[in-house]
Amino acid sequence: MLIDTSISIALRSIYGSYDIKEFSIFDLLNLKEIAEGLKINTNKNKDVTLSIKCPLCGKYHEYNYSFLELINKQVIIAGCEELGIPVLFIGKSFKVEERINRYKQINTKILAMI
């Protein structure tokens, strides 16, 4: 049985676009900061804590996930706790890109209606 250990993280920028980084789940043990404003901590319980400086509200948000959850789920969406807007996507590369494209289409339609 083969397990795909590559994941992507897409972090929202202050301009509304998403910056996508792709790496192996095992790299999380060595990485402390993937992008500006996103810090990663791992512990012995095989849990991952992501600390994000939100580009929308400016506050720090923390999200906890297990390694199994990161490997098994197609995509995980973490949002701003104040505004409820997606700030972070984690998961399989094609699913993360698919979800980001869907949000872009929705936002374009909303702006066209305004």
Side-chain angles (χ1 to χ4, degrees):
M1 180 172 145
L2 295 175
I3 297 176
D4 183 14
T5 60
S6 66
I7 61 170
S8 290
I9 292 183
L11 182 64
R12 186 180 178 116
S13 70
I14 58 172
Y15 304 110
S17 63
Y18 288 91
D19 300 323
I20 300 174
K21 307 278 186 191
E22 186 175 344
F23 52 90
S24 171
I25 191 75
F26 300 111
D27 291 338
L28 284 178
L29 299 173
N30 300 326
L31 297 174
K32 295 299 177 198
E33 188 168 334
I34 291 178
E36 186 177 335
L38 175 62
K39 295 182 181 172
I40 297 174
N41 293 319
T42 57
N43 61 25
K44 293 179 183 178
N45 295 335
K46 296 186 174 57
D47 289 336
V48 177
T49 301
L50 301 171
S51 178
I52 303 168
K53 182 172 185 196
C54 183
L56 301 173
C57 69
K59 296 180 182 177
Y60 282 91
H61 305 303
E62 284 194 0
Y63 306 98
N64 296 311
Y65 303 105
S66 69
F67 277 114
L68 288 176
E69 193 174 10
L70 291 175
I71 292 172
N72 292 331
K73 289 217 174 182
Q74 293 291 316
V75 66
I76 297 171
I77 302 172
C80 176
E81 296 169 355
E82 300 285 323
L83 302 172
I85 297 174
V87 176
L88 178 74
F89 294 91
I90 306 171
K92 306 292 181 208
S93 297
F94 66 95
K95 283 293 185 182
V96 169
E97 290 176 14
E98 181 181 287
R99 195 59 68 105
I100 289 171
N101 289 334
R102 188 179 327 156
Y103 276 105
K104 285 181 185 176
Q105 289 174 352
I106 291 170
N107 287 337
T108 302
K109 289 178 182 179
I110 290 172
L111 290 173
M113 291 170 65
I114 294 175

